[in-house]
Each structure stands twice: as structure tokens, then as C-alpha cells.
């Protein structure tokens, strides 16, 4: 039986170390061609590691051609003078199956992710099972380019009931993530247009525009959202904004500014507004502000939302609502594209929304986030240095800003926190031009931070300044 | 209880007729605002239609704001003078939940689709259930941009064993359909390059290039695939081909031409070949020709394949294999994109491949398609007018060409067949410039045609000329 000492392992992961050891033995012919390797289970037991570790090592060896598998028999050493042994792909830097980048972190305030346990797993899998028992013919029929009608209809109903939006399923386009939909919008509106994004803002959006080679201008914000006069004097034809809850500042654009935006759009035929409503469901206090889409009578607003934020980022379902005039354009120009979301997911999500589970989930999450926020706030207020900080926009969404009275630079702050095991991000990181950023301002994402870690995490954070 | 006579229904579907009847009653106030509608089940029973019909009608009425639902109570008539009644979305032309475009057709030779019943539904759902019972933490962790490692590893093994391709999981990128991957390739290689496609060819590919505003040139074929001298004298930097089995001509590019292609690519740093291997699994006779990727030592080939063809088009999973130099570029330029395929599907497909189900499925389908082809060929050979036709390239893939000795134009042929209930497509439809097309040549896709319909369908087809 193969036996290796893990003492010399160093910083490598167990699987990586094991993979290298076996590879060494194959290359040095200590293991002969066609020699049978121990079963995963037996080797795991012998080395006192988990079967997964052995499985990962064997997978890597197999992917690189050092070993091969014979169904119902096991794993064997390849003839390494043959093609398999000299696989070109060896030269590719190996990638670890699981990255452990954040393993040594105590707390991560940058993760805007949905907490793993919050996904309504039981309900979802129940509905998935139900979907699976639907007729295979229905499940196996091609989805229309815009997505399965049932799902679009469920979304239209949801938007009507909970967002006061009056849209028909015919206006909705389902896609595998908002990033994919941005790409479609560029193809729809045209690459000759200039697209304006918010500064500061979610940098991925401008990355996508630049990656698609369209002109992208960065427009500053004032207290009410994107600065209209700056927008007016820019070459922008299309403005991409998140008026319900700007990331990362948390600004909610008031109704007066919304009308100014619609008025800006009305001044030229080719102007459009992309309303990115990514987390409007999670507004914690007060009535939600009506969406721009719902007060747009000139067909200027493309509304985008996603279930990646509200359900889980591992389900890639987003949608956009096009104004009528653009649906015709979409049908002419882009309906040759296949829908990018599998039918299984589309039917399951349709059921999930129709039967009220989505609403229940949102309510539950809103309560959860509210209690998370209250807990974070309480911990901050209890800090001796509480007077040194200022909190902005804590009533909506899953994050707020914390401005610190300190002489440390943003880089020094981030580095100091990192040393203490706390990952933070500063407002400056969300600026295309860092000179524009208000300094010493942290973005505190509390959605992923477990309750039991909060007190210590906040304490560690405050110990940095 | 609402009662309608379905006698005046005409050509509309039941649900559509019912929807219009109820809408009429709401608009004419025969049904009053806030009046409760009968339950779906009760109405279905009263009208002797299925509950689904009533459900579809109610969904449409709800989506358009004519009725509203009260959870745990039922459906009620909206106040139609209010916003809901006058929903702007009314003006959007209604779309039918199910399109019945091909309902009156007897046979469709254009459908290149996988037959609905062929998907290994039981195995797939079993594996999906297994995936669901995996740890929620694993399922809910974000997929790397390139896709879940397990799936990429399974694909690498599969390519090694069945396609003789030596690739590492690090070179693989998973995406929601090849159309999405084409978009990524354009962003990766750059929009300043000129892309060459095959003429004739799959027109969607050039549509995608044009929709992304890149220069797209159409290169004619000779008997061995794309014409190298035409390619050489074109401005193309990148050539997009399907050498294993060209669609629609069925040409298999021989090894000599493959080396010419690689040689063409070697002449300039910026040249690349996109090898679209969409149906190589289904070669019916003889050994598969090695992929271009497997004989490419200069890192010039981007290999693309999809599970939409080999499994079902409703699962949106495709992948590409990048040469090493391009992986680095991908990581720098495009790894900010989220993977577009849900984790559920990725883990399930990984299991499906790893455990040999994919291979079994391919073998089963190959046998099925072979028997389908034999049956179609037998029916053709039995036609009295057999001497008037010529069959080309019947040994690979799911379709062949049928050239007819006729004086009818392609349009007349298509129209005549349509009148007889048979949908056909001509080679000319796959040409960007129809002048280039060999006339009177039909593409016979037999993959979707049921055995019991074959004889009659071929008879109807031959009765056209």
C-alpha cells in the first residue's frame, strides 16, 4: 500500500501534496505502468485522510494522464512514455479544486454574498422534484428566446403586486445573470452609443462595457444620485443606474431626481435608462420608492433585476423588462439567441414565485438582515472609539458606509485590518478614478457575517485605528 | 358559474378563447369589480376543459391586470378603470404560452433537434436528486468563472478517452450555450479581428458575429472543407469551422486540409482557429478524425463543444478549451465574469459523465440514429423516382443532402412541400449569398422524425417533384 508522510507537506493542501507524491512515484517508476493503485477508500484509510482528498488527487492525476481508470475495476498507472505521460497540459499551472483564499480570515466585510444557510433549500428541492415529474415533453421542449412563458408570467405578477410595476410577460427577457443581459443590451441598443455609469459604483458594470468595446463614461453622484448636469454635459446616450439603492453609497434617488432622469432621457430619441434594481427587495425601513420603470411613459427605461441577490448567486437567473418599442427591436435583432437558462430552473423558479415562496423568503431574509444590522450597529455603538466614526445610509440594503476619523490612508487601513484577520474594502476601490473618492470610508457588508462573530469582528476592526 | 360555449372558438386555442371571453365580460361589466371568479377546478369542471386551460386563461388575465388573486382565497375581478385595468402592457401583442407553429405539419425535416423521448430522464433526475442531497454549502458556494472544477475535470477525462484530446481542466471554460461562448471569444480575441465563417454554414454563427459588430467574411468550401486559398486571400484573422462534420454539407475535413489550416494559422501571431465540434459524437461509421485541437502544437485552436446537441437543448451547457496562452489572457481580461451555468446542473453533469452515463447515452443515441438513417434510406430507395435524386454524405451526423433533378426553384420546392405538410430546408438557406448555393439540394434532418412517420413523410416529399 502506498504510504506517504504528510510531515513535509508545508503549505500545500493535502490533496495537492498527495497528488505530487504519487506523480513523483510514477515518473521515477517506483510505480510501474499498469500497476493497480489502491482504492480511494483504502488509501484514505491507510493515510488517515478523507476519501475526498484521495479522490481529488486521483482526479488531478487522471486529468493529467498519469493514471487511468477501468470502470468497475479501479485506477492504474499510465505508460508515461506514451502521449498520456507527456501531456502538454502538464505545463498548465495546476489550479486547486477549492481555493482557500479566505481560510485564515476571521471575518469578511467585503462579501456581499447571500449567507449559505439562508437559501430555502428544502422548498426549492421539493419544487425541483415536482418539476422533474412534469411531463418530459414539456421539460424537453425548447424554451423561447425570451424564456419560459410561465416564469415570465410569474415575474410579471410579482412585479405588479410588490413593485407596482405594470408589465406584461411579453416584455420580459430571462437570462443567465445580469452580466449576460448587459451584453444583450449593448447588442440591442448598439455599440455606437456612449454608456454612463455611476462614480463610485459597482466596477464590474464598467468592466463589461469596456470589455464590449463601447464608450463608457463615469458620472459623479451628488446626495440624490447621479449628477444630472454632469450627465447632461457628457456624451452619454444610455445611463446605467441603481436608483433604488446605489452601491456602495446606499443613496436612494428621490422622486424629483427620477423625473429629472426621465426628462434627460426624453430629450433625444436614442437615450435610454438602464435601471438596475439589484436589491430593492431588501429595503429594511419605509415604503419602497416606485421604480423608474413604473413612472416611465415614454418607453425609456430598461428595468433589470436578478435572483442571484435575492435567492442565491449559484442560480443564474436574471431578467430584464424592455419597453414595448424595444421588444420589437429585440424580436427582430436578437430573438435568434437561445435562452441561456435551463428549463429545469425556469419551471422551478416559476413555481417558487407563483406559490408565494419567493415573497415568504424575501420577508424572512428582510427580518434576518434587519436583526443582523441591529446587531452590527449595537456592536459599533458599544466601541470606546464610537465618536471617531460616522455611519451613512443604514436603512436600506445589506451594507452601509463607515467613515473613520483617521490619518491612515485607505491602503494602510485595509492592510492593518487584513493583518488582524478582517477583510474590508474602501469606497475608493469602487471609483474608476480613485481621486474622486471620499477617503477613510469603509463599506460594511454585513449580510454574510455570522451573529456569533460580529462582536469580535467589530472589535478587531476598531482596533485598527 | 361562468359558462361559455366553445362552439364559436374557431382556430384559437381553448385557453385563449376562454381568456378573451372572460376579458370581454370584465370590460363590459358583466363581471363586476371585486367579484370573485370560480376556482380553476370548478370552472374547468363546469366547462369540461382541463384545469391547465383555466389556469392559463387566469394567468393571462392576471398578467394583464384584469383579475387579481388573494392568497388562500381566490381570483377577483380588478377595477378596470384603475391602473390595473388600463395596463399599458395591454398594448403589447399577446404571446401564446405554447406556440403551435408546427401543429399542422405532418413531418419536419428541418428540425435538427434531439427527439424528446431520448433524453435519459430517469438517470438524470436520479443524479439531480443526489446532487440536491450534497451539502448545501458546496452547492451554494460560487462557481469559479470557468465553471465547477469537478465538471471541467470530467470533461477533460472524457475528451482524453474518447476524443484523444490532451487537455487539463484549467483550459476549460463552461458557459450557458455555445452562443454565449462565441461572445466571450470575441471579447477575448478582440473586436478588431476579422472572423471567417463557412459558406454555406450555420447562419446563426455569422449572425452572432455581426450582432457583436465584428467583421465577418464568408469563405466558400471545396470538397475538403473551407477553401484555403480563399481564406488566405481574405482579411480573416480567425476562422470558425466545423471540420469534423460540416453543417449542412456533411463534409469531413481530411487530415491534409487540417494541417493546411494549422499552417495558415501559424503564419501570423494573431491568427486563431475556432473548432466547432458540435456533433462529432454522432459519427455513424468509421473512426472519428482527430480533432484539430489534438494536432495543434502552436496553441492556435480554440475547441468548442456542447451538451445541447448530445443531451438536450434545454440544458444550457457548452464548453470551450483554450490553448494555454489564451487561458492567461482569459484570466486577465474575462475572469471577472460569473459562470453562467447553475451549480445544480454543473454537479449533475459532472456525475453523469464521470460515471459513464454520458458514454452510454452517446452509444445508445448513435445506434438509434443509425437505425433512423437506415430506415430513411430504405424509404428513399423504395421511391419510384429514386433515380431523380442523389444522396451526399450519409455516414456521419444526423442529416444528409438530397439533390433533386427538378426544374422547380428552391422556393417552389419548399412551398410545395409545405402544402403537403412537410417542412424542408434547402442548401441555399444556409448561404449568406444565395447565389453561391448549389440548387435543388435539400437538407434532410432525420433526428427528430419518428419511425412510424418516415414512410409517409418520404412519400409526401417525393410527390413534390
Amino acid at each position: 500500500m502506498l504510504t506517504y508522510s504528510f510531515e513535509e507537506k508545508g503549505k500545500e493542501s493535502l490533496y495537492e501534496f498527495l497528488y505530487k507524491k504519487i506523480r513523483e512515484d510514477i515518473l521515477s517508476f517506483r510505480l510501474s505502468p499498469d500497476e493497480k493503485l489502491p482504492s480511494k477508500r483504502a488509501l484514505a484509510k491507510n493515510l488517515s485522510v478523507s476519501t475526498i482528498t484521495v479522490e481529488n488527487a486521483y482526479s488531478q492525476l487522471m486529468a493529467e494522464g498519469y493514471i487511468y481508470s477501468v470502470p468497475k475495476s479501479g485506477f492504474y498507472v499510465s505508460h508515461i512514455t506514451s502521449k498520456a505521460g507527456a501531456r502538454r497540459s502538464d505545463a498548465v499551472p495546476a489550479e486547486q479544486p477549492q481555493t482557500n483564499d479566505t481560510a485564515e480570515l476571521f471575518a469578511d466585510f467585503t462579501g456581499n454574498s447571500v449567507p449559505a444557510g439562508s437559501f430555502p433549500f428544502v422548498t426549492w428541492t421539493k419544487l425541483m422534484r415536482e418539476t422533474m415529474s412534469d411531463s418530459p415533453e414539456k421539460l424537453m421542449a425548447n424554451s423561447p428566446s425570451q424564456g419560459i412563458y410561465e416564469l415570465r408570467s410569474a415575474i410579471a405578477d410579482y412585479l405588479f403586486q410588490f413593485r407596482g410595476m405594470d408589465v406584461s410577460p411579453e416584455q420580459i427577457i430571462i437570462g443567465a445573470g445580469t452580466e449576460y443581459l448587459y451584453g444583450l443590451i449593448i447588442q440591442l441598443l448598439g455599440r455606437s452609443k456612449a454608456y454612463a455609469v455611476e462614480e463610485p459604483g459597482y466596477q464590474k458594470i464598467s468592466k463589461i462595457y469596456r470589455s464590449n468595446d463601447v464608450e463608457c463614461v463615469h458620472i459623479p453622484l451628488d446626495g440624490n444620485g447621479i449628477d444630472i448636469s454632469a450627465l447632461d454635459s457628457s456624451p452619454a446616450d444610455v445611463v446605467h443606474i441603481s436608483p433604488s439603492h446605489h452601491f456602495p453609497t446606499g443613496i436612494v434617488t428621490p422622486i424629483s431626481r427620477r423625473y429629472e432622469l426621465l426628462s434627460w432621457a426624453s430629450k433625444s430619441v436614442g437615450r435610454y435608462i438602464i435601471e438596475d434594481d439589484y436589491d430593492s427587495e431588501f429595503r429594511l425601513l419605509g415604503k419602497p420608492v416606485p421604480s423608474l420603470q413604473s413612472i416611465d411613459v415614454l418607453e425609456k427605461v430598461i428595468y433589470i433585476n436578478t435572483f442571484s441577490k435575492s435567492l442565491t448567486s449559484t442560480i443564474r437567473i436574471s431578467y430584464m423588462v424592455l419597453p414595448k418599442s424595444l421588444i420589437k427591436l429585440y424580436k427582430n435583432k436578437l430573438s435568434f439567441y437561445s435562452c441561456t437558462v435551463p428549463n429545469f430552473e425556469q419551471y422551478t423558479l416559476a413555481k417558487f414565485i407563483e406559490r408565494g415562496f419567493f415573497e415568504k423568503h424575501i420577508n424572512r431574509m428582510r427580518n434576518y438582515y434587519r436583526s443582523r444590522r441591529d446587531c452590527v450597529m449595537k456592536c459599533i455603538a458599544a466601541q470606546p472609539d464610537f465618536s471617531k466614526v460616522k455611519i451613512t445610509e443604514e436603512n436600506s440594503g445589506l451594507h452601509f458606509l463607515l467613515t473613520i476619523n483617521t490619518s491612515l490612508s485607505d491602503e494602510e487601513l485595509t492592510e492593518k485590518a487584513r493583518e488582524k484577520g478582517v477583510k474590508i474594502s474602501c469606497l475608493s476601490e469602487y471609483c474608476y478614478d480613485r481621486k474622486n473618492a471620499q477617503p477613510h470610508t469603509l463599506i460594511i457588508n454585513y449580510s454574510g457575517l455570522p451573529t456569533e462573530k460580529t462582536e469580535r469582528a467589530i472589535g478587531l476592526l476598531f482596533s485598527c485605528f
Side-chain angles (χ1 to χ4, degrees), chain A:
Chain A
M1 176 73 80
L2 300 174
T3 306
Y4 303 108
S5 156
F6 284 84
E7 276 172 28
E8 2 160 355
K9 184 176 80 70
K11 279 195 166 179
E12 287 172 319
S13 66
L14 283 171
Y15 109 87
E16 205 178 0
F17 181 77
L18 181 60
Y19 147 79
K20 284 193 181 158
K21 280 293 174 190
I22 301 177
R23 191 180 62 173
E24 244 174 68
D25 282 356
I26 294 173
L27 289 170
S28 64
F29 295 97
R30 271 190 296 272
L31 286 166
S32 327
D34 296 328
E35 184 174 336
K36 191 175 178 180
L37 292 171
S39 78
K40 293 175 196 170
R41 199 181 299 260
L43 183 57
K45 211 177 157 196
N46 184 45
L47 299 177
S48 305
V49 297
S50 77
T51 322
I52 307 265
T53 301
V54 181
E55 190 168 305
N56 282 338
Y58 277 16
S59 295
Q60 184 81 17
L61 287 164
M62 201 152 83
E64 296 185 2
Y66 292 104
I67 64 173
Y68 62 92
S69 78
V70 175
K72 287 182 193 142
S73 168
F75 294 89
Y76 295 84
V77 175
S78 301
H79 290 252
I80 59 142
T81 47
S82 74
K83 192 162 177 286
R87 283 176 71 170
R88 274 174 289 134
S89 51
D90 281 1
V92 179
E95 173 188 356
Q96 280 186 244
Q98 275 89 24
T99 53
N100 285 322
D101 187 32
T102 53
E104 18 173 346
L105 274 181
F106 176 75
D108 184 354
F109 284 112
T110 69
N112 204 358
S113 66
V114 187
S118 72
F119 181 72
F121 211 78
V122 175
T123 310
W124 185 265
T125 48
K126 203 183 129 250
L127 293 177
M128 252 188 142
R129 287 191 178 98
E130 203 183 305
T131 302
M132 283 179 214
S133 63
D134 284 355
S135 86
E137 282 69 28
K138 180 181 151 191
L139 276 177
M140 292 297 130
N142 279 343
S143 163
S145 171
Q146 293 186 220
I148 300 278
Y149 189 87
E150 282 88 333
L151 176 56
R152 289 182 286 136
S153 173
I155 290 173
D157 287 350
Y158 176 81
L159 288 174
F160 184 62
Q161 286 178 53
F162 297 98
R163 206 74 184 84
M165 283 168 61
D166 179 12
V167 308
S168 106
E170 284 74 18
Q171 290 173 268
I172 296 178
I173 290 160
I174 309 286
T178 46
E179 300 168 9
Y180 172 72
L181 293 175
Y182 299 159
L184 277 188
I185 290 176
I186 295 167
Q187 291 178 59
L188 186 69
L189 301 182
R191 205 161 267 106
S192 59
K193 289 203 180 338
Y195 293 76
V197 296
E198 296 158 319
E199 170 84 340
Y202 192 48
Q203 289 301 302
K204 217 178 197 181
I205 294 172
S206 64
K207 262 191 189 165
I208 291 171
Y209 286 118
R210 285 197 300 272
S211 183
N212 279 283
D213 291 319
V214 293
E215 189 182 349
C216 181
V217 292
H218 297 258
I219 308 287
L221 307 180
D222 61 21
N224 287 336
I226 205 158
D227 184 322
I228 290 284
S229 59
L231 180 63
D232 240 335
S233 55
S234 83
D237 305 293
V238 181
V239 60
H240 189 139
I241 48 176
S242 45
S244 295
H245 185 224
H246 175 258
F247 185 82
T249 67
I251 293 171
V252 178
T253 300
I255 193 84
S256 56
R257 176 63 53 87
R258 290 177 189 237
Y259 282 119
E260 284 172 341
L261 280 159
L262 290 169
S263 158
W264 168 85
S266 74
K267 285 175 192 158
S268 165
V269 185
R271 285 190 179 171
Y272 287 98
I273 299 170
I274 301 169
E275 178 177 27
D276 210 330
D277 208 26
Y278 71 103
D279 76 346
S280 64
E281 288 88 0
F282 293 124
R283 191 173 165 78
L284 300 180
L285 279 179
K287 266 189 79 163
V289 181
S291 69
L292 267 174
Q293 197 280 343
S294 66
I295 54 170
D296 163 38
V297 294
L298 293 174
E299 307 197 359
K300 287 297 192 178
V301 176
I302 298 173
Y303 176 92
I304 290 200
N305 207 335
T306 179
F307 295 97
S308 300
K309 272 269 168 282
S310 47
L311 269 169
T312 161
S313 55
T314 61
I315 288 176
R316 306 303 306 168
I317 313 187
S318 300
Y319 62 93
M320 61 179 171
V321 179
L322 295 181
K324 276 174 288 169
S325 52
L326 290 180
I327 307 165
K328 281 173 207 144
L329 191 68
Y330 175 89
K331 288 197 170 163
N332 288 336
K333 272 182 88 170
L334 300 176
S335 62
F336 70 88
Y337 277 115
S338 305
C339 181
T340 43
V341 181
N343 286 6
F344 273 125
E345 258 75 11
Q346 292 197 59
Y347 281 116
T348 306
L349 181 57
K351 291 187 178 84
F352 191 80
I353 301 170
E354 273 166 13
R355 302 195 195 160
F357 293 119
F358 182 63
E359 192 199 341
K360 262 185 219 155
H361 171 69
I362 292 294
N363 288 336
R364 200 168 57 87
M365 291 309 290
R366 213 184 275 137
N367 287 335
Y368 170 79
Y369 288 134
R370 193 181 289 123
S371 83
R372 295 295 314 116
R373 193 206 57 191
D374 292 349
C375 167
V376 171
M377 289 297 161
K378 221 175 81 187
C379 291
I380 291 179
Q383 295 298 319
D385 282 335
F386 178 55
S387 61
K388 280 193 187 171
V389 303
K390 197 184 133 230
I391 290 164
T392 324
E393 290 295 334
E394 74 268 38
N395 283 332
S396 59
L398 317 178
H399 57 87
F400 57 83
L401 299 186
L402 189 74
T403 309
I404 305 161
N405 187 356
T406 175
S407 57
L408 294 171
S409 75
D410 283 3
E411 288 71 24
E412 287 164 335
L413 259 178
T414 315
E415 184 46 37
K416 252 185 122 169
R418 190 73 182 73
E419 279 164 18
K420 295 191 185 277
V422 179
K423 198 170 167 195
I424 55 167
S425 63
C426 294
L427 195 52
S428 51
E429 292 170 42
Y430 294 90
C431 288
Y432 185 65
D433 183 353
R434 292 201 171 203
K435 288 200 306 291
N436 297 333
Q438 174 184 334
H440 318 140
T441 302
L442 310 185
I443 296 140
I444 304 295
N445 281 296
Y446 49 82
S447 64
L449 186 73
T451 314
E452 65 278 13
K453 282 187 163 186
T454 310
E455 196 175 339
R456 173 124 190 262
I458 296 288
L460 285 170
L461 180 64
F462 271 73
S463 71
C464 300
F465 42 89

